[in-house]
Structures are given as C-alpha cells and as structure tokens.
Amino acid sequence: MIIIGEKINGTIPVVKEAIEKRDAAFIADRAIKQTEAGASFIDVCASTAPEYEIETLKWLMEVVQDATDTPLCIDSPNPRVIEAVFKYASKPGMLNSISEEGDKCEVLLPLMEGNSWEVVGLTCDNNGIPNDLETKMAITKSMVEKAAKFGVTPDRIHIDPCVMALSTENNSLLNFAAEIRAIKALYPTIHVTGAISNISFGLPVRSLLNKTCMAFAIQAGMDSAVMDPMNRDLMGTIYATYALLGKDRHCRKYSKAFRSGQIGPAGK
C-alpha cells in the first residue's frame, strides 16, 4: 500500500497553530513520525489565507525535507500555488491534485514532463463530484489522456474516486468499490487512492467504519491511501487484509510489521 501521510495540514488545529508560530520542531517531528510509521509520501498542505499560501507551503517543504528523505506530496487546491513552490522540492514526489475542474491539468501536468513525479487525480469537474460511475470514468479517461501528452504514464497517476459519506449516501462503499474495479480494469497499472475517513463523516465510532472500508477497498483493488500512518488500527487492517488476500507471501510483511512495532498493541 502506498501511504500518503496526511498529518501536516493547516486544517488540523495543532498544525495550524504550529504554522502560525513557525514551530519547525513540531512540523519536523510529525514528518519523522509519519516516515517511521510507514509513509511513502508526506503530504504538505498550508491551508492559509491565499496571500500567505506560497510562502507558508515553501516553509513547510523546507522543514519536512530537512527532517526526512521521504518524498513530498505538495498539496493545494490552487494549482498556481503548487506551480510556484514546485522548484523547491529536492526530489520528485507527488502533486495533489489535478481534476477536470478549472485549469488544473493544464497547469500541473507540464511540470511532470521528463521526470518521475506522480500525481493525484480527483474524479470531479466544474460541476462538482458526480454520483454516477460513467461520469467518473469519463473524467478519469480525460485526465489520463491529457497526462499522456506530457509523457505521464498511468503508473504515475493516483486516481481518487472521491468516496462519499455513508451518512448521506447509503451505497457509498458499494459505489466506491465498483469505481475502483472499473478504473483498474481500464488501466491495470494505474493507482487508486482516497481519503477513506470521508466515508465515516457524521457517524459514531468512525474508526470502525474506516477500518472496515479500508479492507473492502483493498479487496476491490485500491493500492494507495491518504491517511494517518500513525493510526495503528488502520495500519494493522492494511497488513492483515493483504495477508488474508494472499498478497503477502508467508505473511512476511505482516509479521515484520508486528516485530517492528508498527501493528499490534502499543509497546509490543
């Protein structure tokens, strides 16, 4: 599983406070802990006022890169902000994100030409997030075709089908699983990602729904996730699901994760 660590985001109150105080030690500690927990990429999202976003995101990138070698996932709803800070990345990482909304593909995909950068692609457009599989697949095809013009192959793309909250869409998981299968059937080498925690929004015992959703999503073919790698229960679910699906030969990764203390009771 490709894990995009989500814990350095200005929408999180303690991170917002650290950003305002320019508390580099706090940000660095979060980056290191996510790396140690198994993050493949460290997402950095400023979530500040537009006039400060470029400066803040550049600072976050510098702090994280000084603290860990884990590649960055540069995150902003404004593609021009990502374009402005792109040059400050010390190595190829991930851009978060393109979609069929506005000019995101036109701004960000050229940055990926001739290198190994990866990108998250959201299945939404100027009309928002569609509810039907056909529209999501059409958006996916369009993004993949646009990416190909810049030499970006499907294996560098992480499609996020935008899982909906179960509290508002009763078939949310069933639809999500169908979308994952359809995307992987059309593009076998493409990655499918998502913020699993969205499914439990507004419901009690969210962790229970998140863990169960993760297991079903992996079974359907999801191989990337925007999540908290320090969440031991969710990490345990990932390792257990791969083992149970026969994708972990002799349960070696599961056993190694237990021995290293990544999963199981804390302190074991």
Side-chain angles (χ1 to χ4, degrees):
M1 173 70 73
I2 299 167
I3 297 172
I4 305 165
E6 65 179 4
K7 300 298 287 182
I8 300 178
N9 190 309
T11 61
I12 302 171
V14 291
V15 176
K16 179 181 179 181
E17 182 180 358
I19 288 174
E20 291 172 348
K21 294 180 178 179
R22 289 296 189 266
D23 187 347
F26 178 90
I27 299 298
D29 182 64
R30 282 214 157 191
I32 293 168
K33 286 180 177 176
Q34 288 186 92
T35 294
E36 292 175 344
S40 311
F41 296 88
I42 302 293
D43 190 85
V44 285
C45 183
S47 296
T48 60
E51 60 267 31
Y52 304 119
E53 190 177 6
I54 292 175
E55 174 194 349
T56 304
L57 191 50
K58 177 178 178 289
W59 176 76
L60 284 173
M61 291 170 63
E62 290 172 347
V63 172
V64 172
Q65 289 180 135
D66 285 343
T68 176
D69 289 331
T70 302
L72 297 175
C73 176
I74 307 174
D75 190 352
S76 173
N78 184 346
R80 295 295 178 182
V81 170
I82 297 176
E83 181 185 41
V85 301
F86 179 77
K87 60 186 176 184
Y88 299 114
S90 61
K91 66 171 68 174
M94 183 180 292
L95 304 180
N96 192 5
S97 56
I98 59 170
S99 69
E100 284 296 89
E101 179 186 11
D103 61 354
K104 292 184 176 181
C105 285
E106 289 69 26
V107 174
L108 297 182
L109 288 174
L111 300 178
M112 301 177 63
E113 188 171 18
N115 55 50
S116 60
W117 278 82
E118 300 182 28
V119 67
V120 174
L122 305 178
T123 55
C124 58
D125 55 21
N126 291 322
N127 296 314
I129 301 173
N131 291 319
D132 62 292
L133 175 62
E134 291 74 18
T135 304
K136 288 190 175 184
M137 289 303 297
I139 292 172
T140 297
K141 290 178 185 177
S142 178
M143 289 190 290
V144 170
E145 289 170 1
K146 287 180 179 180
K149 295 177 182 179
F150 297 95
V152 180
T153 49
D155 60 299
R156 292 168 58 192
I157 302 172
H158 298 243
I159 295 295
D160 183 348
C162 302
V163 61
M164 306 302 290
L166 188 63
S167 57
T168 59
E169 172 52 66
N170 196 62
N171 291 325
S172 177
L173 173 62
L174 299 177
N175 294 340
F176 187 45
E179 291 154 7
I180 294 169
R181 293 188 180 100
I183 292 168
K184 294 293 278 189
L186 185 62
Y187 302 108
T189 62
I190 210 165
H191 300 290
V192 180
T193 193
I196 290 294
S197 60
N198 288 347
I199 200 163
S200 62
F201 184 79
L203 292 170
V205 200
R206 294 187 65 182
S207 62
L208 181 59
L209 292 167
N210 294 343
K211 289 186 295 182
T212 307
C213 179
M214 178 65 81
F216 278 111
I218 292 173
Q219 183 182 36
M222 189 179 81
D223 59 352
S224 171
V226 181
M227 58 170 280
D228 175 8
M230 294 182 287
N231 184 322
R232 298 175 65 82
D233 287 341
L234 201 52
M235 290 295 288
T237 296
I238 292 171
Y239 281 106
T241 303
Y242 272 89
L244 290 166
L245 291 175
K247 296 181 178 182
D248 179 7
R249 186 172 175 81
H250 301 307
C251 301
R252 288 170 181 163
K253 293 181 180 178
Y254 178 87
S255 299
K256 182 179 179 181
F258 174 74
R259 289 194 302 270
S260 65
Q262 281 185 281
I263 63 174
K268 295 292 186 182

